[in-house]
Amino acid sequence: IDGLTQKVVRKASFATKHGTGDPLAASAVVSPDGARLYATAPQGIAMLQTTDLALRAWLAPDLSSRPLAISSDGSQLYALAGDEVVVIDARTGATPATRTAP
């Protein structure tokens, strides 16, 4: 989406993983350097390369989450899954930490 005109410039689609999450509830976030786009699916988080919008990897393939956020350096994704915030390594998909909401 062009930031100035708010018009769709490019779009892509990819097969999502089936899961128990809500297929209509989706979230996406762009890495600070603009190189990667992370998007939730009913299960898992898709990592796409922004140059060609090609699917590069599935991160946290068993995770059903909706909102996503990314750290300012682009190294960590934060996904809300139920009452937990799951911290995900944005490059490898490893989940080194989970924090339960109070």
Side-chain angles (χ1 to χ4, degrees):
I1 299 173
D2 183 286
L4 296 174
T5 65
Q6 303 299 307
K7 294 190 188 249
V8 175
V9 177
R10 286 187 303 160
K11 64 181 180 176
S13 59
F14 54 92
T16 61
K17 296 176 161 273
H18 298 287
T20 58
D22 181 354
L24 301 177
S27 178
V29 66
V30 177
S31 63
D33 64 3
R36 292 170 310 284
L37 171 69
Y38 301 93
T40 60
Q43 194 163 2
I45 299 170
M47 181 176 69
L48 296 95
Q49 197 71 33
T50 57
T51 54
D52 58 4
L53 295 179
L55 178 65
R56 297 293 189 231
W58 281 100
L59 306 181
D62 298 326
L63 184 67
S64 291
S65 67
R66 188 171 63 187
L68 285 179
I70 193 163
S71 62
S72 61
D73 65 0
S75 67
Q76 295 182 321
L77 287 171
Y78 303 95
L80 184 61
D83 63 350
E84 295 180 331
V85 174
V86 180
V87 181
I88 303 162
D89 183 298
R91 296 248 180 222
T92 67
T95 54
T98 299
R99 295 176 177 88
T100 304

